[in-house]
Amino acid sequence: MDSSSNGRQDRGYILSLDAGTSSVRAILYDSFGVAVAMAQRPLRLGFPQAGWVSQDAMEILSRSIACMVEVQVESGIHSDEIRAVGIANQRETVVVWDKASGQPIADAIVWQCRRTAPEVKELLGAGYGPLVQERTGLIIDPYFSATKIAWILDHVEGARARAERGELLAGTVDTWLIYNFTHGAVHATDYTNASRTMLFDIHALSWSDELCELFRVPRQMLGEALPSDGDFGRVSSDIFSHHPPIAGVVGDQQSSLFGHLCFDAGMAKNTYGTGCFLLMNVGREPVLSTHGLLCTVGIAAGGEVSYALEGSVFQAGSVVQWLRDELGLIKSAEESAEVARSVPSTGGCYLVPAFTGLGAPWWSSDARGTLTGLTRATNGAEIVRAGLESIAYQSADVLRAMEADCGMPVRELRVDGGAATNDFLMGFQANILARPVVRPGAAERTALGAAYLAGLSVGYWQSVDDLAARQAGERRYEPTMSDAERKELLAGWDDAVRRTLA
Ligand code: ADP
C-alpha cells in the first residue's frame, strides 16, 4: 500500500455517507477503494397508520452527522485528510422544510408509504399514466416523491400558501442533508435522485413544469438538479474544520450500479437484500418499458448520462427469514446453502413467494404464495432449496423482461447484498441465467459507488479504468447446467407462477 510510515495514506481518504432507510453509515475509503473505517447509527421508522411510513428528518440529519464525525475521530485521521464526501441515499423519501428556520414542517414521508394511494388512483383514472411514463420513465405510484410532497402541502396548515410564497423548500434525503451540511448554501439534488421524484423530465434532464403543475408541487420548492459528480458545495466547518467538498451524490441503487462499474450498455447488477433490486444500463437513450419496469437515470457523471431499466423482486432474503422463523427449517440464513446442497434437487417442488403479490414482470397485487409439486416424499431440505431457487427464478424473470424491453442481452450479472454471500444461490443463479454471476471481493457496493463518484470528481482517482484496476478478489460463478435441464426447470417455474396467478 502507498501508505506513509505512520500507517496513514498520504493521499488521504474519501468519506462516503450511505443514508439508508434503516440505518446511516459513514465509511472511509482509501485510494485502493478499501473501506478502512465505518460508523453506523440506526434510524427509526414510524407507522402512524396502516400503510403509512414516516421518519424524523432531524434524526436522519443528526445521526448522519454523528456517523461522519465518529468515523473521522475513531479512525484517528485529521479532517484535512478527507479529500471529498460522497452521499448515497434512500430514494423517493421526501422532506419539506422552512427556508428561514431550516426546520422540517412535517415528518419525512418514506418511499414505502402508501398514504397517497387515493390521489394516485385518481390520476391513473384520469389517464395520466402514459404522459408520466413518457416524461419520467416511471409508473404513477405512491412510491415516488411527487404525491408525497403534495400531501404535506395539503395536510400541514398553511403549507401550500407558504410554499407558493417561496417560504418552504422540498427535497429528497440527499437534498435535505446537503442543505444542512452546507448551512443552507446549497439546495440541490442529482439527476439519479431527481429521476425518482416523478417531477423530472429524464429526456431534458430538468424539472418538468407540466408535471409540477399536474402533481401540484410549486417548482420553486425544488433545488437545482446536477450530475452525480457535480459541485454540491462544502461540508460546513462545524462538522469538518477543513470543510471538504461534497462531490458525489447518487441514489442508493444507482450508487450500487456505479460501484459495480456497470458503465456500458448491457451491464447489470442485482442487490440481494430483503428484496432484490436489479438495474441494467441500457445506454444513452431512455427505454420505456412495456413489461412494467421503470426507466431511470442510471449514471450521470463524467459529462455523460446513461439510463437504466430497474425492476425489483419483493421477496428475496425475506424468503430465507421465513424458512427460518416461520417454518423453522433452518437455524440461520447462512445454513440455508448447506441444507439446499444436502439434496440433489427440489424433487419437482417450487415455491412462489408471492407473500405480498408478484412484481415485475407479472404485476399481481392479489396473488399469494404457493408451494407446488409436493409429494408424500417432499422433505424440509427440498423446501429450503425451493426457497433459495425462487430468489434466482424471480431475478431471472426481471432480467428477461429487461432484455425484452431493450433488445440487448446481459452478458453477466454483478451481485451484492446480504444474500449474495450464499454460494448455492449464486451458483444456481448463474445456471438458471446461463450466464456468469460475478460477486466483487468487498460485497458492499452502495457506499462505494458514491465514494467513487466523489473521488473521480475531485481527481482523487484519475479515471474509471483506475477504479477497475482496484477491484480485487471477485468471485465468478460460471453456468454448468445443461440447456435441457435449465429449460425443464424454467418450464416448471413458469407453470408454478401460472398456478399462483390463477
Ligand atoms: P437489507 O439491506 O434489505 O436489510 P441485507 O443486504 O442486509 O438486506 O441482507 C439481509 C437479507 O439477506 C436478509 O433477508 C437475510 O435473510 C438474507 N441473508 C443474509 N445472509 C444470507 C445467506 N447466507 N443466505 C441467504 N440469505 C441471506
Side-chain angles (χ1 to χ4, degrees):
M1 286 182 57
D2 60 340
S3 49
S4 61
S5 55
N6 63 6
R8 288 180 183 165
Q9 299 204 118
D10 300 332
R11 291 191 55 196
Y13 303 86
I14 301 291
L15 187 151
S16 182
L17 180 73
D18 176 4
T21 311
S22 49
S23 72
V24 286
R25 302 178 311 152
I27 303 181
L28 278 181
Y29 288 96
D30 68 13
S31 62
F32 293 85
V34 172
V36 295
M38 199 259 283
Q40 184 163 15
R41 293 271 195 291
L43 292 178
R44 288 173 301 177
L45 285 164
F47 305 100
Q49 289 188 29
W52 293 30
V53 189
S54 63
Q55 255 174 342
D56 177 352
M58 290 310 275
E59 182 179 285
I60 297 175
L61 173 62
S62 63
R63 295 194 176 175
S64 295
I65 294 173
C67 287
M68 295 189 345
V69 172
E70 183 183 316
V71 81
Q72 183 232 316
V73 171
E74 293 299 317
S75 61
I77 68 158
H78 196 268
S79 104
D80 68 6
E81 293 175 272
I82 298 172
R83 301 285 186 255
V85 170
I87 300 174
N89 58 287
Q90 56 160 312
R91 306 172 302 169
E92 297 104 12
T93 299
V94 301
V95 185
V96 175
W97 66 95
D98 182 316
K99 193 174 174 178
S101 72
Q103 290 295 313
I105 65 159
D107 277 344
I109 303 184
V110 176
W111 55 276
Q112 297 144 325
C113 185
R114 308 298 297 173
R115 79 181 66 180
T116 59
E119 290 87 331
V120 160
K121 202 169 161 204
E122 236 170 72
L123 289 161
L124 284 170
Y128 286 109
L131 169 83
V132 170
Q133 192 193 17
E134 161 56 32
R135 295 283 188 284
T136 68
L138 307 176
I139 292 161
I140 302 183
D141 193 274
Y143 194 90
F144 306 107
S145 314
T147 59
K148 296 180 194 301
I149 299 174
W151 190 96
I152 293 176
L153 298 185
D154 290 336
H155 290 82
V156 175
E157 208 187 321
R160 185 163 286 286
R162 297 189 59 208
E164 265 146 24
R165 288 199 299 271
E167 294 169 19
L168 300 180
L169 300 178
T172 38
V173 167
D174 54 315
T175 307
W176 167 243
L177 293 175
I178 295 163
Y179 188 81
N180 283 283
F181 292 168
T182 62
H183 275 209
V186 179
H187 181 219
T189 187
D190 87 302
Y191 295 163
T192 66
N193 275 293
S195 72
R196 315 297 297 184
T197 59
M198 219 155 52
L199 299 168
F200 192 70
D201 183 327
I202 62 170
H203 307 266
L205 299 171
S206 62
W207 301 115
S208 158
D209 288 326
E210 192 183 9
L211 294 177
C212 286
E213 196 170 311
L214 176 66
F215 290 108
R216 299 181 308 113
V217 173
R219 167 83 168 69
Q220 72 264 27
M221 295 184 81
L222 306 171
E224 188 185 359
L226 300 170
S228 297
D229 59 354
D231 174 3
F232 295 89
R234 286 179 169 269
V235 177
S236 72
S237 51
D238 51 1
I239 302 175
F240 293 130
S241 55
H242 193 66
H243 51 94
I246 304 169
V249 174
V250 61
D252 52 9
Q253 295 308 321
Q254 285 94 334
S255 188
S256 162
L257 189 72
F258 200 89
H260 276 293
L261 310 181
C262 292
F263 301 139
D264 299 323
M267 299 182 81
K269 73 93 191 175
N270 192 8
T271 302
Y272 297 78
T274 313
C276 285
F277 278 100
L278 286 104
L279 265 78
M280 174 182 183
N281 184 329
V282 295
R284 305 261 179 261
E285 297 295 328
V287 171
L288 297 185
S289 176
T290 54
H291 294 84
L293 301 171
L294 306 173
C295 182
T296 201
V297 175
I299 293 175
E304 286 172 349
V305 167
S306 299
Y307 294 88
L309 279 171
E310 174 170 329
S312 52
V313 169
F314 300 153
Q315 309 294 338
S318 55
V319 174
V320 180
Q321 291 168 285
W322 177 73
L323 293 167
R324 182 192 61 197
D325 303 337
E326 263 63 50
L327 301 193
L329 293 174
I330 45 174
K331 286 191 205 65
S332 67
E334 293 69 39
E335 198 197 23
S336 61
E338 191 189 321
V339 173
R341 271 205 208 91
S342 72
V343 286
S345 74
T346 67
C349 163
Y350 289 89
L351 170 67
V352 183
F355 302 148
T356 56
L358 275 176
W362 311 106
W363 292 111
S364 166
S365 52
D366 299 330
R368 288 297 174 267
T370 50
L371 255 177
T372 66
L374 297 180
T375 68
R376 178 64 185 79
T378 303
N379 62 41
E382 288 169 340
I383 293 175
V384 170
R385 187 171 173 125
L388 288 179
E389 290 186 355
S390 77
I391 302 172
Y393 286 124
Q394 294 178 92
S395 298
D397 284 344
V398 174
L399 219 65
R400 277 191 286 181
M402 288 176 166
E403 292 179 328
D405 271 336
C406 69
M408 217 184 309
V410 169
R411 285 191 308 275
E412 63 180 31
L413 183 64
R414 303 192 170 192
V415 301
D416 65 340
T421 56
N422 188 308
D423 288 333
F424 169 81
L425 173 58
M426 293 302 106
F428 188 77
Q429 185 73 81
N431 278 336
I432 223 61
L433 287 173
R435 268 157 290 185
V437 165
V438 182
R439 186 180 64 212
E444 168 27 69
R445 297 283 111 177
T446 304
L448 185 61
Y452 278 169
L453 281 159
L456 285 168
S457 172
V458 298
Y460 181 80
W461 289 298
Q462 295 311 313
S463 67
V464 292
D465 297 334
D466 193 15
L467 300 180
R470 287 161 202 275
Q471 299 256 349
E474 69 179 24
R475 168 93 199 256
R476 286 180 76 83
Y477 299 83
E478 298 288 344
T480 55
M481 189 179 273
S482 72
D483 282 344
E485 191 183 351
R486 176 181 318 111
K487 280 203 180 98
E488 194 187 324
L489 288 175
L490 282 169
W493 167 255
D494 287 342
D495 180 57
V497 170
R498 256 195 307 279
R499 288 163 195 263
T500 306
L501 292 169

